[in-house]
Amino acid sequence: MSSPSASAATGWNTVIGLEVHCQLATRTKLFCACAAEFGAPPNTRVCPLCLGAPGALPVLNQGAVALALRAALALGCTPDPASRFERKHYFYCDLPKGYQISQFARPLARGGGLELASGKFVRLQRIHMEEDAGKAIHDRGAHTLVDLNRAGVPLIEIVSEADLSGAEEAHEYLTRLKETLQFAGVSECDMERGSLRCDVNVSLHRPGTPWGTRAELKNLNSFKNVVAAIEHERARQRVELEAGRRVRQETRLWDPERAETRTLRSKENEQDYRYFPDPDLPPLVLDAATIARVRAELPELPAARRARWQRDFGLTPYDAGVLSASRALADFFEESARLSQRPKEAANWLANDVAAALAAARLDTPADLHLTPARLAQLIALVADGTLHIGGARSVLKALFTRAATPAELVAELGLAQVRDTAAIDDWCRVAIAANARAAADARAGELKALGALIGPVMKASGGRANPAAVREALLRLLREERA
Amino acid sequence: MSSAELDASAMRGAHARGERSVRLTIEDTLARIARIEPTLGALSAVLADSARTRADELDAARANGFEPGALFGVPVVLKANLCQTGVETNCGSRVLAGWRPPYTATVVERLLAAGAVPVAVAHMDEFAMGSSGENSAFGRARNPWDLARTPGGSSSGPAAAVAAGLVPLALGSDTGGSVRQPAALCGIAGFKPSYGRLSRHGLVAFGSSLDQVGPLARSVRDVELALEVLSGFDERDSTSLRAAPVARSARTSLAGLRVGVPQEYFGAGLDARVRATIETALGELEALGARRVPVSLPSTALAIPCYYVLATAEAASNLARFDGVRYGPRVDGDGSLEGMQAATRGAGFGAEVKRRILLGTFVLSHGYAEAWYGKALAVRARLRAEFEAAFAAVELIVSPTAPTLAFRLGEKSADPLSMYLSDALTVPASLAGLPALSVPAGFARDGASELAVGLQLVGPFGADAEVLAAGRLFEGATRHHQRRPALAAS
């Protein structure tokens, strides 16, 4: 879709820029001490400032500034040493002051960007800080209800240059952006809870001609919707242009139910926001020492971690990708690798069995399954010292998800310790050979597949506790001896 | 001795020493209010019950050995734009009729902590927009020196209440002269501190980059006392100065003080009687040892247009919140959100406020903002620079506070431009953020009336104590502040 061949096929280039709003993970709001929490009863996390009460004044939350600055530095932006808060005016029932405190002429930071897997660098235009509006609820009877808990919650808006050329690139950009913000501890980036929101600008043009008129798409509440809306909008604009009509500059709303975009407001009806510097707030001064301190405190970002894991631990790019899906998982992996001293094994367990269990249970992190890095490391050690074979280890892992016991305790309780008594293994093997004469003959003739038919009964007889390698060895030895 | 004759410090002393109960002072004050207020019309609400309760609490506290504060038992009046929890704070506007704030302004908290007793809320021009008090939706205060005339504005009620001897101290707010001009017209002291000196937390905003709370009193001595109580950093106002409370200056003489007289403040618009009274006052300053130095502030004439761009831009923004959604009377209109907001604002705001919202919206609108708002910011920077240059050669700049004597109520209501010029001499110090005091300079006759003239003293940024000290020494020598209107003696 976003590949050059697609544009060659349709004859149109797609130009996409994204505006991402991201809620900063602060305890309190941007300009007051009210809790910035999700899901509280309506209008219970409000103060005179949140209510737009006359005479109430904003006081900047320095914790929010630190997180915004961290985001800017994680994305390679250049902070403005004296950015400014401005008032953006419009009337709506969820905007208590009649203006939103935002940044305009002097945003917090400019420049920076993110690299995609293809090596393409998506540039950022700017990052600015602003407060969120409240929430208008229209579907509860005759009246519109207003909940101001969200009013004043700290956001950053991250504006990309129009460097993206398709829905897949947009999706990858969002994925990289989200993981960077999460790893940097800037935001939870939970689209369902609204802590990550995305508007998309889309336009089409013929290769070699100037850019077309763009439409802005809103109400995209999942990455899936972003992709679907871009695809739909591309098709719509293409139909317009190929019919000789013009694309109007407008804001369009994505309707996920009908899977289409429709006009919200045209450019002629756009607000005049009358930005001007908020006289209640002095310029936001960031001195070199502050910037240096926040830069020094930046945690290692996902791309750097993946590279290090591949280099130092020998992980595959796929495993590194799976394990860096969230900061919690990445941290879990690193701790498990450290405790077990076997990073490859830790990676295998997490990327396969644990990941599958999480997916099946629709959970996010190993901690949600009651797993700890220490327990995983203990499990790895039990396999490494031969106490458990892989099948037994899987059973122990499964038990760990529901039990508070240690892996060693579970091994004992479940009787899963491997049988190392060669006499016992030899006995099971002899029984198997005797009971499967045909397979034994084929195996003697060198057919390896037939050997498998002998291993199965032995494992069954041992209750799964015999080491498969030892069984194989014993079978081969016994078959040889019989022939001799 | 009646409380009307005591200043705040004397009153506080009498209470602190137990010579007089706070309750007696408050009863005295309420009785005066009952006698004079029907004629004066300065107050929008008398807080009789809470004042009596508080008086008894203070008396009990003193009896229990609590250290009396700096304003212990002093009755005060507050302009109707200073928030007090549970007390109607309507800013003289129908749009806020009945609004009782859920919190208290920092300056009011500090008054209370010092032992002051709020006895009334006073009328004002709607949202502090006006120079005569006539733009109030609830009542027009009269000038105690001539009841047919304006007390000035927008702190009309507070100034009239102090001048009529209802209370020794009131708090107003000054955006372009709203404390100084009514103080001048009412023959009392009124002070606009350096910008940021007093917290704006809980002061309903008009022009946020200009607004300052200001004390009004019958003596500069009481203004100094109030400033000491009210000033000091407030973390709830991001524009609050990080400075200790202002202590009274130890200056005891004006000898050698260089006093700048800007020629631009004595132009054609200045009433001859005001000019003559100020000339006399300048002579008195010289007699006290001050040296008169001519200075020039060339951009003074630009101050009024500059102010009416910046203040209205900020006002239009600050008043956007009065939309009928969360508080204040709501008018449903056509039932849509936009219709309700338009109807609420249409019915709630008075003509002058609407005029300024329109002006302020225009000067920030797309395509015009640079030519209007941007240019006005440049003028403001220039005015500031000119003041700074002048203060290289002088310690104070003196001038008339208002260009005319108190005018008759109704005289200028139909002519907003001439009303705006009432602030021509006070607006420059507001734009520059400088401390400025109006102190009684003398009196002039207009027909049968004796009317007050105010002398404005402006100092460099932060020199609040020095400005007040000069005013105190001037009033101590001239005693103009001891004259009382006939109404106060009734």
Side-chain angles (χ1 to χ4, degrees):
Chain A
M1 286 170 281
S2 62
S3 63
S5 63
S7 82
T10 64
W12 295 99
N13 284 350
T14 312
V15 176
I16 300 169
L18 299 184
E19 293 168 15
V20 172
H21 284 90
C22 159
Q23 180 181 334
L24 300 172
T26 54
R27 204 173 45 76
T28 56
K29 293 185 181 180
L30 186 52
F31 296 113
C32 66
C34 291
E37 69 188 299
F38 179 84
N43 297 311
T44 57
R45 300 297 181 268
V46 294
C47 67
L49 189 78
C50 307
L51 296 170
L57 295 174
V59 178
L60 182 60
N61 177 345
Q62 292 300 331
V65 174
L67 289 185
L69 180 57
R70 203 191 281 177
L73 296 175
L75 294 166
C77 310
T78 307
D80 189 325
S83 68
R84 214 163 59 187
F85 287 99
E86 306 208 21
R87 295 182 178 180
K88 176 182 180 178
H89 299 86
Y90 62 95
F91 285 105
Y92 196 60
C93 58
D94 66 5
L95 189 69
K97 298 186 292 295
Y99 58 83
Q100 177 194 26
I101 304 178
S102 182
Q103 295 191 302
F104 186 60
R106 296 284 297 269
L108 181 81
R110 293 180 193 271
L114 277 170
E115 193 177 298
L116 304 184
S118 63
K120 178 175 185 170
F121 188 75
V122 181
R123 294 167 301 152
L124 296 185
Q125 197 181 86
R126 54 188 276 151
I127 295 184
H128 70 249
M129 301 183 72
E130 63 185 25
E131 58 176 350
D132 208 344
K135 206 163 71 183
I137 301 155
H138 301 289
D139 55 359
R140 311 275 167 86
H143 295 281
T144 293
L145 305 178
V146 178
D147 177 6
L148 294 176
N149 283 352
R150 210 178 64 185
V153 160
L155 305 176
I156 49 174
E157 181 173 339
I158 303 165
V159 183
S160 83
E161 296 287 357
D163 283 352
L164 299 157
S165 56
E168 285 175 351
E169 272 190 7
H171 187 273
E172 189 188 350
Y173 165 81
L174 285 172
T175 308
R176 295 283 157 263
L177 185 64
K178 178 177 166 178
E179 68 180 17
T180 302
L181 296 171
Q182 281 180 332
F183 274 65
V186 168
S187 173
E188 296 178 359
C189 294
D190 185 338
M191 281 191 109
E192 278 175 22
R193 292 178 157 211
S195 64
L196 192 73
R197 280 169 260 165
C198 177
D199 299 337
V200 182
N201 288 297
V202 182
S203 70
L204 258 56
H205 68 107
R206 296 277 190 197
T209 64
W211 285 3
T213 305
R214 68 190 154 84
E216 182 178 2
L217 311 182
K218 284 189 178 289
N219 194 37
L220 307 171
N221 50 15
S222 71
F223 285 11
K224 217 176 78 191
N225 277 331
V226 170
V227 169
I230 291 174
E231 292 299 349
H232 173 273
E233 182 61 17
R234 246 164 58 98
R236 186 191 70 85
Q237 290 190 15
R238 195 179 143 200
V239 167
E240 293 295 301
L241 294 168
E242 288 181 353
R245 291 187 292 268
R246 291 185 325 152
V247 170
R248 290 195 304 158
Q249 185 171 339
E250 60 185 2
T251 302
R252 299 181 69 85
L253 198 72
W254 170 248
D255 182 339
E257 313 242 306
R258 305 168 74 169
E260 62 181 30
T261 63
R262 61 168 180 271
T263 300
L264 183 67
R265 56 176 176 265
S266 65
K267 188 175 189 283
E268 295 75 57
N269 297 327
E270 258 174 32
Q271 300 268 356
D272 180 354
Y273 291 127
R274 294 184 289 122
Y275 282 101
F276 82 108
D278 191 329
D280 290 333
L281 291 161
L284 171 50
V285 174
L286 294 172
D287 56 35
T290 304
I291 295 169
R293 180 175 49 76
V294 173
R295 197 188 297 277
E297 288 168 2
L298 261 188
E300 191 183 20
L301 297 173
R305 280 202 193 192
R306 284 191 289 267
R308 179 167 56 79
W309 294 344
Q310 290 174 50
R311 189 182 66 234
D312 296 354
F313 298 160
L315 299 199
T316 63
Y318 175 80
D319 282 353
V322 171
L323 296 176
S324 60
S326 74
R327 170 137 183 218
L329 182 59
D331 289 346
F332 193 101
F333 162 64
E334 299 229 37
E335 183 65 1
S336 310
R338 188 182 68 79
L339 292 172
S340 67
Q341 289 298 308
R342 294 174 184 275
K344 275 286 264 189
E345 281 82 345
N348 284 337
W349 281 111
L350 288 169
N352 299 304
D353 296 80
V354 176
L358 285 172
R362 295 180 170 276
L363 294 171
D364 290 331
T365 70
D368 296 337
L369 288 168
H370 311 295
L371 193 61
T372 65
R375 297 259 156 96
L376 183 59
Q378 289 159 13
L379 185 68
I380 290 167
L382 289 170
V383 175
D385 71 10
T387 305
L388 276 176
H389 64 76
I390 198 72
R394 288 209 169 96
S395 306
V396 171
L397 181 70
K398 207 167 267 171
L400 279 173
F401 293 157
T402 53
R403 301 281 308 278
T406 66
E409 288 163 358
L410 289 168
V411 167
E413 188 186 317
L414 301 172
L416 286 170
Q418 288 199 80
V419 175
R420 302 190 212 199
D421 176 355
T422 46
I425 292 177
D426 284 4
D427 286 348
W428 286 323
C429 288
R430 284 194 192 95
V431 172
I433 290 167
N436 298 280
R438 175 81 196 252
D442 289 350
R444 257 185 231 112
E447 265 188 58
L448 282 176
K449 229 162 126 193
L451 193 64
L454 295 172
I455 293 174
V458 175
M459 294 305 293
K460 199 171 173 190
S462 74
R465 292 178 301 146
N467 182 315
V471 170
R472 187 185 166 90
E473 218 167 86
L475 281 170
L476 287 172
R477 178 166 43 78
L478 290 169
L479 289 168
R480 244 188 346 260
E481 283 169 6
E482 276 178 30
R483 199 166 43 182
Chain B
M1 192 185 234
S2 145
S3 62
E5 286 138 75
L6 293 175
D7 71 3
S9 16
M11 211 180 259
R12 183 262 172 202
H15 299 145
R17 290 187 299 272
E19 293 162 12
R20 185 186 172 94
S21 75
V22 175
R23 180 63 188 255
L24 177 62
T25 295
I26 295 306
E27 291 301 340
D28 221 32
T29 302
L30 293 172
R32 282 185 69 74
I33 289 174
R35 226 165 36 241
I36 296 174
E37 168 58 16
T39 314
L40 188 64
L43 307 179
S44 66
V46 180
L47 312 173
D49 291 346
S50 65
R52 287 190 172 106
T53 306
R54 191 164 156 74
D56 291 345
E57 285 166 5
L58 290 170
D59 284 329
R62 200 196 66 83
N64 288 329
F66 284 98
E67 180 65 24
L71 293 172
F72 188 79
V74 174
V76 293
V77 158
L78 300 172
K79 192 175 181 177
N81 59 356
L82 291 164
C83 293
Q84 293 181 74
T85 302
V87 176
E88 178 167 341
T89 303
N90 57 41
C91 299
S93 181
R94 278 189 303 273
V95 93
L96 271 180
W99 183 63
R100 294 171 191 275
Y103 73 107
T104 296
T106 298
V107 287
V108 178
E109 279 181 355
R110 290 183 180 178
L111 277 184
L112 294 173
V117 183
V119 293
V121 177
H123 287 309
M124 57 184 283
D125 283 299
E126 184 176 6
F127 286 110
M129 298 177 187
S131 309
S132 68
E134 294 167 286
N135 294 334
S136 167
F138 303 112
R140 297 166 184 189
R142 298 166 184 276
N143 190 316
W145 295 92
D146 177 347
L147 295 169
R149 295 180 190 248
T150 174
S154 67
S155 304
S156 49
V162 170
L166 303 187
V167 288
L169 177 67
L171 292 190
S173 69
D174 189 315
T175 306
S178 281
V179 161
R180 289 163 284 163
Q181 185 256 16
L185 269 44
C186 287
I188 60 172
F191 182 57
K192 183 202 85 74
S194 295
Y195 184 76
R197 181 68 79 188
L198 297 190
S199 169
R200 293 185 297 116
H201 169 77
L203 164 68
V204 180
F206 160 17
S208 310
S209 75
L210 299 151
D211 294 342
Q212 271 295 286
V213 173
L216 299 112
R218 287 196 299 274
S219 70
V220 177
R221 200 168 84 117
D222 277 357
V223 171
E224 290 179 307
L225 179 65
L227 191 69
E228 198 162 349
V229 165
L230 299 172
S231 58
F233 176 65
D234 178 18
E235 62 179 9
R236 292 175 294 185
D237 173 1
S238 306
T239 61
S240 174
L241 282 181
R242 291 186 179 267
V246 178
R248 188 190 302 261
S249 158
R251 179 184 276 276
T252 53
S253 158
L254 294 178
L257 191 80
R258 293 168 302 170
V259 170
V261 181
Q263 60 193 42
E264 293 84 359
Y265 283 57
F266 293 81
L270 189 64
D271 183 283
R273 292 156 298 184
V274 173
R275 180 192 302 270
T277 310
I278 294 300
E279 279 300 337
T280 308
L282 291 173
E284 285 162 347
L285 277 173
E286 285 183 290
L288 291 167
R291 259 179 41 224
R292 181 173 171 167
V293 181
V295 293
S296 181
L297 298 166
S299 301
T300 299
L302 299 176
I304 282 287
C306 169
Y307 172 84
Y308 276 92
V309 171
L310 298 180
T312 58
E314 294 182 15
S317 172
N318 285 326
L319 269 52
R321 67 187 62 200
F322 302 108
D323 59 2
V325 172
R326 296 165 310 281
Y327 45 74
R330 174 186 296 179
V331 182
D332 284 333
D334 66 7
S336 71
L337 175 64
E338 294 77 13
M340 183 280 283
Q341 289 174 328
T344 296
R345 292 167 69 79
F349 291 135
E352 180 60 27
V353 171
K354 285 178 186 163
R355 181 180 295 123
R356 295 199 195 188
I357 289 174
L358 287 173
L359 263 173
T361 302
F362 171 72
V363 300
L364 280 179
S365 60
H366 186 72
Y368 298 94
E370 197 37 51
W372 291 95
Y373 183 76
K375 188 65 79 63
L377 284 182
V379 171
R380 184 178 196 172
R382 188 196 285 188
L383 284 164
R384 222 179 242 144
E386 289 176 5
F387 269 113
E388 259 171 49
F391 281 123
V394 297
E395 279 81 39
L396 285 180
I397 289 174
V398 299
S399 71
T401 304
T404 66
L405 299 171
F407 43 92
R408 286 182 179 75
L409 288 164
E411 189 179 326
K412 295 188 181 181
S413 350
D415 183 0
L417 271 186
S418 114
M419 189 76 94
Y420 292 176
L421 289 172
S422 305
D423 297 332
L425 309 179
T426 47
V427 152
S430 295
L431 287 166
L434 306 178
L437 171 72
S438 182
V439 61
F443 290 80
R445 288 209 81 79
D446 186 26
S449 305
E450 279 258 81
L451 297 171
V453 173
L455 176 72
Q456 178 175 241
L457 294 80
V458 178
F461 184 82
D464 303 54
E466 290 69 25
V467 170
L468 291 171
R472 168 168 40 89
L473 294 167
F474 175 81
E475 86 178 1
T478 57
R479 309 251 151 204
H480 299 304
H481 70 294
Q482 291 181 338
R483 283 184 67 171
R484 296 277 178 272
L487 183 70
S490 64

